[in-house]
Amino acid sequence: RRVHGESRKFAGMGLSTDRFINPVDEEFICAICQDVLDQSVTLKLCDHHFCRECITSHISTTKNCPVCRTATTIDDIQPTSRTINNLIKKQQIRCQFHGRGCDAVVTVEMICSHEKDCGYAPTTCANDGCPYQINRCDLVTHLMTCERRVLQCPFGCGELFRANQTNFHEQVCVEFPIRCECGVSVKRNEMPSHATTECSSAPIPCEVSGCEFMCARGNSFAWESHEREFAVAHARLINSQLKLTLNELKSTTDKLKSTEEQLKSSQAEWESRVALLTSELDSTKAELSAVVAQSVEIIWKLVLEEKKCTYNIWVINDITTIRSKQSDLYSHEMTFAAPTVAHRYSYMLNIRFNLDGGMDLYFVIRRGPVVESLSLEWPFKLRVAVVIPSGNAKCLNIGEDAFDYFNKHNPPLENNKEGWGQRSFLTRAELESGDYFFHNNMVILVALGPDDLLRESESENESEMEPNE
């Protein structure tokens, strides 16, 4: 039997006859692939036998039997008789991996099971880039010797590389042992230190500065000979070097002394400048405070003399330091005397910076020295205005509401500390604004006059007052 036309193109789909131990009957040969039937089927119209894959592919393109040309379709394909299949299954056949070394011979019925587990089946190496196909039974051995396997440096540098890059790695590995000329094995990164301090073959110069002799470190005989023969020359070189060192030391000492003198001179000069600037600053502050106080006094003098009032000014210096002592009381004695306002009592102005950060202010009347010409009838009838001048002046008026308080002590004692005024006359926010300071100084002005003369000084800044005891 033979295949008509181009049906030969399906050859190779059956079991090759070369693999069978004994000759195979022609009835078991596929007419299409010319190999032994594999999964054999029969065309029911003509009873010809073929491999299932061969005839299926043939009929998909040519609707006839490839042997007798009988018209046929896929529906005409039926299984081959059990007898033929059993005869084929009992045939002895070699493993398809016979060419790779497998000598197994089994029946067709068992060939698939054998080839599934055959140790000579080809497999691919797991190492990236390996081009070889290896027998399954040789895979473990191959992985241990594959030139594409990954290795870790055995010398301790920690680098990973492919086996075929071993030579290159050994040329650059810092831990790779190199045999020195002296016969000692030294790590590559320790070679410079070894050559400098240990290598017996390394040439080193004589320790005496100026001596040009050089010899291998380990050549003890040559060094002993050199030391004996050049002992006098060495002494001269050492003496010359010592003189040179002493001269350099003297020069350095002179430079240090000169630098020290320059530093002392500069320090004295700067100390003098600092002292001068400090003195000038203190003088400027004092002058500025005096000018401020004088300016305030002149302005208010013009105003108050026009109203026939007497006045006194209290300038408090370094207000920041005073504010830090919150619980301390600061007082200022005031004596007023004028033809129109004569009296024999003195006035005390008290301020205290409270724990809330504000400033309390109280006006105190107490007995002063008796001067008949300045005596004034009691009860107290004068009106008092306490003013802190600034861009936004703050005023405390003491008048009728305070008269009864003052007059209950008739007359007041010399050590009287009771007064009339206001807690937090200046609030913490007002103090921190700095509007009431003149270069860290505060100016407080107190004016006294008849009750009707100071009424005009009352304003919307006037605050509610209370007695202080």
Side-chain angles (χ1 to χ4, degrees):
R1 297 179 303 173
R2 63 186 180 83
V3 179
H4 293 281
E6 297 297 325
S7 296
R8 189 63 183 165
K9 62 184 178 181
F10 298 109
M13 294 184 182
L15 300 173
S16 175
T17 56
D18 297 336
R19 294 174 55 189
F20 287 83
I21 302 300
N22 300 314
V24 180
D25 192 288
E26 186 177 356
E27 291 295 324
F28 303 150
I29 302 298
C30 174
I32 297 176
C33 66
Q34 298 298 306
D35 288 330
V36 178
L37 294 171
D38 183 27
Q39 299 182 11
S40 62
V41 293
T42 303
L43 294 179
K44 61 183 177 180
L45 298 179
C46 60
D47 203 29
H48 290 137
H49 309 300
F50 305 95
C51 298
R52 178 181 294 278
E53 186 175 354
C54 292
I55 192 61
T56 302
S57 300
H58 174 80
I59 293 177
S60 65
T61 57
T62 305
K63 306 298 183 180
N64 56 34
C65 173
V67 176
C68 64
R69 311 298 287 180
T70 301
T72 186
T73 64
I74 294 295
D75 296 334
D76 296 328
I77 299 175
Q78 63 183 10
T80 303
S81 67
R82 182 179 298 177
T83 302
I84 293 178
N85 281 334
N86 288 339
L87 290 173
I88 294 175
K89 289 179 180 180
K90 294 182 181 299
Q91 298 295 316
Q92 297 288 315
I93 187 172
R94 295 185 182 91
C95 175
Q96 66 170 315
F97 307 121
H98 175 74
R100 300 184 65 86
C102 182
D103 295 329
V105 176
V106 296
T107 62
V108 172
E109 184 178 15
M110 300 298 297
I111 193 63
C112 289
S113 176
H114 165 77
E115 290 177 349
K116 180 180 179 182
D117 299 323
C118 181
Y120 292 91
T123 186
T124 303
C125 176
N127 293 318
D128 184 35
C130 179
Y132 300 108
Q133 277 194 336
I134 309 98
N135 290 340
R136 186 182 292 150
C137 60
D138 297 331
L139 180 60
V140 175
T141 302
H142 172 78
L143 291 176
M144 296 175 63
T145 59
C146 178
E147 63 180 16
R148 294 293 298 173
R149 71 187 185 279
V150 178
L151 301 176
Q152 185 173 22
C153 176
F155 307 110
C157 76
E159 291 289 332
L160 299 176
F161 53 89
R162 301 284 180 182
N164 59 354
Q165 298 174 335
T166 300
N167 291 336
F168 172 77
H169 176 74
E170 290 178 352
Q171 294 175 9
V172 297
C173 178
V174 295
E175 298 288 332
F176 185 76
I178 300 175
R179 192 166 188 81
C180 180
E181 294 179 359
C182 65
V184 177
S185 181
V186 184
K187 295 180 180 180
R188 178 177 279 113
N189 60 341
E190 296 177 356
M191 183 59 72
S193 174
H194 169 76
T196 304
T197 60
E198 299 176 1
C199 182
S200 59
S201 299
I204 58 174
C206 179
E207 294 179 351
V208 179
S209 179
C211 180
E212 299 180 353
F213 179 77
M214 293 188 68
C215 184
R217 181 184 282 110
N219 193 343
S220 57
F221 177 78
W223 282 113
E224 291 175 359
S225 299
H226 172 71
E227 290 175 357
R228 287 195 305 270
E229 295 175 6
F230 288 83
V232 176
H234 284 173
R236 291 174 180 172
L237 288 172
I238 292 172
N239 185 52
S240 175
Q241 186 64 33
L242 182 59
K243 289 181 180 180
L244 180 62
T245 303
L246 290 175
N247 290 335
E248 291 178 352
L249 181 60
K250 183 178 181 301
S251 175
T252 303
T253 302
D254 293 340
K255 291 180 180 179
L256 288 175
K257 289 182 178 179
S258 176
T259 302
E260 182 181 7
E261 291 175 358
Q262 292 176 2
L263 290 174
K264 288 181 178 180
S265 176
S266 299
Q267 181 180 3
E269 181 180 353
W270 280 109
E271 289 178 352
S272 176
R273 290 183 181 180
V274 170
L276 179 61
L277 291 174
T278 302
S279 176
E280 291 178 354
L281 180 61
D282 293 341
S283 177
T284 301
K285 286 182 178 179
E287 292 175 2
L288 182 59
S289 297
V291 169
V292 170
Q294 184 178 6
S295 299
V296 173
E297 182 176 0
I298 291 172
I299 293 171
W300 283 87
K301 181 178 180 180
L302 293 174
V303 175
L304 297 174
E305 285 184 351
E306 181 181 351
K307 294 188 174 188
K308 299 179 181 180
C309 298
T310 58
Y311 61 91
N312 201 315
I313 292 177
W314 180 16
V315 179
I316 306 174
N317 297 314
D318 196 9
I319 196 68
T320 302
T321 302
I322 294 176
R323 283 188 64 194
S324 65
K325 304 175 181 179
Q326 295 175 333
S327 61
D328 293 346
L329 180 68
Y330 294 89
S331 302
H332 180 63
E333 184 85 18
M334 297 181 175
T335 301
F336 295 86
T340 58
V341 186
H343 53 82
R344 58 177 178 174
Y345 298 98
S346 63
Y347 304 91
M348 180 76 69
L349 197 63
N350 293 339
I351 67 167
R352 177 189 290 112
F353 292 93
N354 56 52
L355 297 178
D356 295 332
M359 187 186 84
D360 305 335
L361 188 147
Y362 296 95
F363 185 76
V364 181
I365 300 176
R366 65 181 182 177
R367 185 191 299 256
V370 178
V371 181
E372 293 298 333
S373 62
L374 297 178
S375 62
L376 182 67
E377 293 296 328
W378 197 260
F380 182 76
K381 290 293 186 179
L382 297 179
R383 192 170 183 82
V384 182
V386 182
V387 183
I388 298 181
S390 68
N392 184 22
K394 197 75 177 277
C395 180
L396 175 66
N397 290 303
I398 302 175
E400 297 174 356
D401 294 339
F403 292 164
D404 292 339
Y405 178 80
F406 287 135
N407 292 334
K408 75 177 181 179
H409 300 98
N410 188 16
L413 302 176
E414 292 185 14
N415 61 350
N416 177 45
K417 293 184 179 179
E418 297 181 354
W420 191 267
Q422 181 187 355
R423 175 177 171 81
S424 292
F425 174 68
L426 288 181
T427 66
R428 178 176 181 174
E430 290 174 328
L431 287 172
E432 292 180 349
S433 70
D435 293 341
Y436 298 92
F437 301 155
F438 297 90
H439 297 277
N440 204 28
N441 301 320
M442 179 180 284
V443 178
I444 301 178
L445 184 143
V446 182
L448 283 79
D451 180 56
D452 58 341
L453 291 181
L454 286 176
R455 289 187 182 275
E456 297 179 5
S457 64
E458 297 180 353
S459 67
E460 58 183 12
N461 288 330
E462 184 174 354
S463 304
E464 184 178 352
M465 293 177 292
E466 60 183 15
N468 173 58
E469 300 182 5

